[in-house]
Amino acid sequence: MREIVIGGAQMGPIQKADTREEVVDRMIALLQQAKGAGCDLVVFPELCLTTFFPRWYMEDQAEVDQWFEREMPNAATAPLFAAAREAQIAISFGYAELTPEGRHFNTSILTDRDGNIVGKYRKTHLPGHSEFDHDRAFQHLEKRYFEPGDTGFQVWRNMDAIMGMCICNDRRWPETYRVMGLQGVELVMLGYNTPSVNSQDSVEGLEKRLYHSELSMTSAAYQNATWVVGVAKAGDEDGHPLMGGSMIVDPNGYVMARAETEGDELIVHACDMDACSFGKSTIFDFARHRRIEHYGLICSQTGVVLPD
Ligand code: CDT
């Protein structure tokens, strides 16, 4: 048995006016709770140091850049790294990254138990649009503020397991998990900020949004025989509701822990990495069963081409 007690640290809303220091205090409180629950690893949401700023249209690059971190750890997050090291808990969290070369990414990192960053992932599938869209009920400007990630879907050996990350919209794409599955991934960690309503379809509300999120993560866990931990930033951010629904999914696709609120809430499950072995060696033994001679379109074509 290779058991890792995992905490999914869902976070409630972060308002525009909230400081990084206030947010980090909340993260440390969740970390202390996780320590009490015996957690080895805690997963925090996407862009968890600030409000979900891509909902706001900005033209001034200096205004945009105030939402980004130039280094990690930095002055605001150092206490979080120190608390994690002190508790001997590995952490993963998302933030907006501004590189020394001036590149902007939607990023998440993974540490070991000593607070050393051992993995970095930059979001691949950026949803939304790049210009102000008058037809939407609200904006989703990730394509304006970020460039698509350049890391691809790597995995890392950490805590005697094979771990990978993706971010929010990535969780809806089977390719995300399969690329990690082909590297033997046993735990996929992801954070998300998902609006509770569809900005392009006011009829699509919370129930369907939660269902699609669960469907994406549970099917991917089963089809790749991996644990999936999905963690929300939830609640009302300056009048804009984000859904909760954080969950820990086992390699059979069953939900083993689920958040009940839209606030700061820790969900915990003892995850046995050896539980991945059966699926990986039987129905999803990729080496025996995959037929790559028929999968070429997936890598040679982006959009749909209809038959004549
Ligand atoms: N943050 C993020 O990727 N959110 C998207 C919203 C899609 S609607 C433009 C998601 O897939 O949840």
Side-chain angles (χ1 to χ4, degrees):
M1 181 136 121
R2 285 179 296 135
E3 186 177 276
I4 301 177
V5 181
I6 300 179
Q10 178 174 291
M11 296 184 66
I14 299 174
Q15 311 306 336
K16 256 181 145 176
D18 293 346
T19 66
R20 309 285 208 280
E21 288 74 14
E22 288 168 336
V23 174
V24 165
D25 283 349
R26 284 168 54 187
M27 295 172 77
I28 292 173
L30 284 160
L31 196 71
Q32 299 305 349
Q33 200 183 327
K35 184 180 174 186
C39 289
D40 303 302
L41 167 67
V42 173
V43 182
F44 293 95
E46 172 193 34
L47 297 176
C48 75
L49 300 175
T50 67
T51 194
F52 188 70
F53 65 86
R55 72 168 65 88
W56 304 111
Y57 179 77
M58 295 172 274
E59 291 185 327
D60 176 3
Q61 192 59 41
E63 185 186 353
V64 174
D65 286 351
Q66 70 174 332
W67 300 108
F68 283 75
E69 316 301 317
R70 289 171 171 75
E71 52 185 4
M72 191 57 63
N74 55 23
T77 56
L80 173 68
F81 282 77
R85 188 178 313 115
E86 167 72 23
Q88 285 290 288
I89 294 177
I91 56 173
S92 174
F93 69 89
Y95 63 98
E97 177 190 14
L98 176 52
T99 74
E101 299 76 33
R103 302 178 70 187
H104 297 76
F105 295 107
N106 186 340
T107 295
S108 61
I109 50 118
L110 169 67
T111 77
D112 62 17
R113 286 171 175 272
D114 291 317
N116 303 303
I117 295 176
V118 296
K120 177 184 275 192
Y121 169 72
R122 292 168 170 160
K123 186 173 181 177
T124 302
H125 301 99
L126 296 175
H129 49 111
S130 53
E131 297 301 331
F132 193 92
D133 185 346
H134 294 274
D135 293 332
R136 290 177 187 250
F138 50 89
Q139 305 298 298
H140 194 110
L141 290 152
E142 286 195 61
K143 286 192 195 305
R144 181 177 186 85
Y145 302 131
F146 302 113
E147 61 177 289
D150 60 355
T151 56
F153 301 103
Q154 302 168 46
V155 300
W156 299 272
R157 287 191 184 275
N158 193 28
M159 306 166 79
D160 197 26
I162 301 176
M163 301 183 180
M165 293 181 278
C166 65
I167 301 177
C168 195
N169 190 262
D170 287 325
R171 77 190 186 287
R172 305 185 192 276
W173 299 88
E175 296 87 344
T176 295
Y177 305 89
R178 185 47 53 90
V179 172
M180 288 189 266
L182 286 166
Q183 300 168 82
V185 78
E186 295 169 318
L187 169 62
V188 176
M189 291 160 281
L190 66 98
Y192 58 89
N193 286 254
T194 299
S196 304
V197 289
N198 189 327
S199 65
Q200 296 167 293
D201 177 7
S202 58
V203 177
E204 184 183 309
L206 185 59
E207 187 187 351
K208 195 192 272 186
R209 307 287 269 181
L210 287 166
Y211 174 67
H212 286 160
S213 182
E214 178 168 341
L215 180 66
S216 301
M217 294 190 284
T218 54
S219 58
Y222 166 64
Q223 290 167 352
N224 294 280
T226 180
W227 291 91
V228 174
V229 178
V231 180
K233 178 142 67 62
D236 189 312
E237 292 193 337
D238 294 300
H240 294 270
L242 296 169
M243 68 178 217
S246 302
M247 61 181 63
I248 298 175
V249 185
D250 82 2
N252 285 299
Y254 288 107
V255 178
M256 305 308 287
R258 186 195 299 267
E260 304 289 342
T261 72
E262 291 187 344
D264 289 8
E265 179 182 348
L266 184 75
I267 56 172
V268 178
H269 188 74
C271 304
D272 179 9
M273 296 298 127
D274 284 342
C276 303
S277 304
F278 183 74
K280 285 185 191 301
S281 61
T282 56
I283 192 162
F284 295 117
D285 180 346
F286 295 158
R288 276 197 293 149
H289 304 309
R290 292 180 78 244
R291 303 299 335 178
I292 58 173
E293 66 272 30
H294 298 302
Y295 305 158
L297 281 185
I298 288 174
C299 280
S300 62
Q301 186 176 310
T302 309
V304 175
V305 177
L306 297 175
D308 291 338

